């Protein structure tokens, strides 16, 4: 029996052994921690929180990208974002024209004797040296351990994507990971969140003294969400930049940048404190909406459960008929 749940950017609630079959995740940029809800409102700033995200295996598919138009005009980019466009809804895109994008607060590069740039290397190539893991952010996933260089910083949230490695769990055989999108060439501050599940199993019948249930945490993906303009967590203007999310995948042992659809008007210079991030389709679909568009959690669950219930009924009725589509509604 597998149960899955999801949390993002706030102190994580206890895992539920069997959450609703459809999870709709939303995130507020004002918070540095995540919380599982079908949809949740902007959160207050909480210092030094852990980030956890869990997903439901039965997520339904989100609206496809064909529902939105791509807006191609990009402002000045200072952190290697030129090769990756963010999709804006047509109404929201009109406000982007003429906007001047504020510059990030650059983080000074620190020279390290052990630094080795792995950008441009052949993926899955095993290197012939060992690394000092204390100089890296170690991201432990179900199928692998991912390492991203960690520049010295008191907040411990600065990432250098120019040097990355991947290994089988708890081993020291380092190889170059698959990089599926352009990575920043400068230091950036990121908030880390886990996207996974608890695998809950019952004990065998012939072992009555074993615990009633055994839970094992399985981290399937990790999201690294950039701090807007590289501001520190304690900054009064701190928000998360939901337009720039990097996804580390356990199954493919790869890292990529999420494709985010923006439906909030105002373009890049909008007030991001009202943004809500909706993640669906098992962590593959990302959309930014305004907090005012938030649906009631019960309504969302009922709507998604209705679709699944009808599909299940159709599969059952196909066995009793000679035609595939039912008119029972």
């Amino acid at each position: 029996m597998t149960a899955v749940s999801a949390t993002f950017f706030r102190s994580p609630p206890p895992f539920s052994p069997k959450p609703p079959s459809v999870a709709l995740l939303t995130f507020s940029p004002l918070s540095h921690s995540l919380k599982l809800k079908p949809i949740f409102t902007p959160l207050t700033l909480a210092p030094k929180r852990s980030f956890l995200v869990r997903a439901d295996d039965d997520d339904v598919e989100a609206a496809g990208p064909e529902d939105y138009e791509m807006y191609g005009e990009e402002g000045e980019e200072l952190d290697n974002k030129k090769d990756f466009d963010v999709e804006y809804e047509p109404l929201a895109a009109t406000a982007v024209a003429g906007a001047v994008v504020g510059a990030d607060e650059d983080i000074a590069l620190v020279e390290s004797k052990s630094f080795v740039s792995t950008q441009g290397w052949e993926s899955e190539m095993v290197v012939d040296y060992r690394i000092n893991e204390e100089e890296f952010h170690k991201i432990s996933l179900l199928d692998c351990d991912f390492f991203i260089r960690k520049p010295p910083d008191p907040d411990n949230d600065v990432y250098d994507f120019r040097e990355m490695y991947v290994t089988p769990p708890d081993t020291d055989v380092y190889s170059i990971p698959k990089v599926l999108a352009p990575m920043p060439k400068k230091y950036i501050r990121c908030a880390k969140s886990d996207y996974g599940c608890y695998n809950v199993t019952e004990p065998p019948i012939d072992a009555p003294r074993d615990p009633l249930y055994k839970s094992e945490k399985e981290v399937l993906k990790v999201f690294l969400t950039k701090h807007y303009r590289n501001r520190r967590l304690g900054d009064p203007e701190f928000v998360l930049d939901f337009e720039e999310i990097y996804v580390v995948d356990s199954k493919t042992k790869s890292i990529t940048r999420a494709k985010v659809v923006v439906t909030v008007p105002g373009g890049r210079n909008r007030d991001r404190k009202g943004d809500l991030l909706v993640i669906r389709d098992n962590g593959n679909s990302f959309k930014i909406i305004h907090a005012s568009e938030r649906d009631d959690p019960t309504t969302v669950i009922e709507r998604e459960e209705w679709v699944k219930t009808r599909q299940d009924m159709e599969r059952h009725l196909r066995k009793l008929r000679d035609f595939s589509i039912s008119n029972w509604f």
Side-chain angles (χ1 to χ4, degrees), residues 13-25:
F15 285 99
S16 172
K18 189 168 184 179
S21 63
V22 175
L24 189 59
L25 310 180

Side-chain angles (χ1 to χ4, degrees), residues 194-206:
D194 297 339
Y195 184 92
C197 64
Y198 273 159
N199 186 22
V200 184
T201 57
E202 297 182 1
I205 299 178
D206 56 352

Side-chain angles (χ1 to χ4, degrees), residues 138-203:
K138 182 178 181 180
I139 302 175
S140 298
L141 301 109
L142 176 63
D143 303 303
C144 64
D145 291 335
F146 215 90
F147 294 88
I148 303 175
R149 179 162 283 278
K150 177 176 60 178
D153 186 85
D155 289 346
N156 201 34
D157 58 4
V158 179
Y159 290 75
D160 184 357
F161 291 92
R162 298 176 301 166
E163 184 176 8
M164 298 182 291
Y165 303 95
V166 64
T167 71
D170 299 320
T171 65
D172 57 359
V173 180
Y174 304 99
S175 57
I176 306 301
K178 297 178 183 177
V179 180
L180 307 180
M183 292 290 112
K185 295 182 179 179
K186 293 185 177 182
Y187 295 167
I188 63 172
R189 297 185 185 276
C190 293
K192 187 179 89 171
S193 55
D194 297 339
Y195 184 92
C197 64
Y198 273 159
N199 186 22
V200 184
T201 57
E202 297 182 1

Side-chain angles (χ1 to χ4, degrees), residues 209-227:
R209 295 184 179 275
D210 285 356
L212 293 179
Y213 294 95
K214 181 180 180 182
S215 300
E216 296 178 347
K217 183 179 180 181
E218 298 178 350
V219 179
L220 306 177
K221 295 182 180 180
V222 167
F223 300 143
L224 300 174
T225 306
K226 182 179 177 292
H227 293 194

